[in-house]
Amino acid sequence: MAITENLITSPSQIAGFWRRLFAFCLDGLLLGIFGAAFGLTVFDYLVSLGGWGRLFGFTVTLIYFGLMDSRLFNGQSLGKKAMKIKVVLHNGEPLS
């Protein structure tokens, strides 16, 4: 599995560290905004769950990256899409 840049050029070209980091930070920011908005609406319920409330956030994050990096979304989370990079197999084909 590789993360490529310049979608029009060679699929084997690996995106640089800073571009991948910035894409991850953008995804984290989006998930954080979603989590804060959701947390404000159901705060009392999440507090009643205690530590299990974190499991909900982890599950949302796992589903987000699992779906977005799959073939269903062309291997691009929203952050990767903004940075024009995507996750592909070593031969350049999208993930299953």
Side-chain angles (χ1 to χ4, degrees), residues 80-91:
K80 289 181 186 84
K81 192 171 287 209
M83 296 305 298
K84 296 182 174 40
I85 58 179
K86 69 179 183 175
V87 179
V88 295
L89 296 173
H90 61 87
N91 60 3

Side-chain angles (χ1 to χ4, degrees), residues 46 49-57:
L46 292 175
L49 291 176
W52 289 101
R54 290 188 187 125
L55 182 62
F56 177 77

Side-chain angles (χ1 to χ4, degrees), residues 69-71 74-75 86-89 91-96:
D69 288 345
S70 71
R71 184 181 303 243
N74 199 27
K86 69 179 183 175
V87 179
V88 295
L89 296 173
N91 60 3
E93 293 188 21
L95 298 176
S96 61

Side-chain angles (χ1 to χ4, degrees), residues 37-79:
F38 182 76
L40 288 173
T41 59
V42 292
F43 179 78
D44 292 330
Y45 176 71
L46 292 175
V47 168
S48 72
L49 291 176
W52 289 101
R54 290 188 187 125
L55 182 62
F56 177 77
F58 176 75
T59 304
V60 169
T61 303
L62 188 65
I63 291 170
Y64 172 79
F65 282 111
L67 286 176
M68 296 299 269
D69 288 345
S70 71
R71 184 181 303 243
L72 186 64
F73 288 95
N74 199 27
Q76 291 181 296
S77 64
L78 297 175

Side-chain angles (χ1 to χ4, degrees), residues 19-37:
R19 288 184 69 181
R20 289 183 285 139
L21 179 66
F22 191 69
F24 181 75
C25 289
L26 286 174
D27 286 328
L29 181 66
L30 291 171
L31 284 169
I33 290 169
F34 171 77

